[in-house]
Amino acid sequence: DAGVGALMAHAAVQGAFYNVQINLPGISDEVIKNEIDKESRRLLSEAETKSKLAREIVIRKIGCQIS
């Protein structure tokens, strides 16, 4: 359950990132646009790091091998 939850959370963050990226062109203020872009990329990177850690923990706990 925890592994599936981590995968779903990561998918949600990716979806939110795509949503931000698709809407950035509609923002005329370049300073705000750049701040939003930078923060969305930071959050995506953080989510990817945490998701990888969660996957590693789950794989270790259930004892399966993934190639």
Side-chain angles (χ1 to χ4, degrees), residues 1-25:
D1 292 342
V4 173
L7 290 171
M8 298 305 294
H10 187 238
V13 173
Q14 285 180 313
F17 175 77
Y18 297 153
N19 188 271
V20 167
Q21 294 300 307
I22 198 76
N23 286 296
L24 279 177

Side-chain angles (χ1 to χ4, degrees):
D1 292 342
V4 173
L7 290 171
M8 298 305 294
H10 187 238
V13 173
Q14 285 180 313
F17 175 77
Y18 297 153
N19 188 271
V20 167
Q21 294 300 307
I22 198 76
N23 286 296
L24 279 177
I27 299 173
S28 59
D29 186 316
E30 290 297 321
V31 172
I32 291 174
K33 185 189 299 189
N34 289 334
E35 288 177 11
I36 291 170
D37 182 46
K38 183 179 177 181
E39 181 67 3
S40 69
R41 291 174 188 280
R42 185 192 70 75
L43 290 169
L44 179 62
S45 177
E46 182 180 338
E48 289 173 347
T49 299
K50 290 181 178 182
S51 179
K52 181 180 178 193
L53 177 61
R55 284 193 309 271
E56 290 169 355
I57 292 169
V58 169
I59 289 166
R60 189 171 56 249
K61 292 281 186 183
I62 63 177
C64 72
Q65 298 291 327
I66 296 180
S67 55

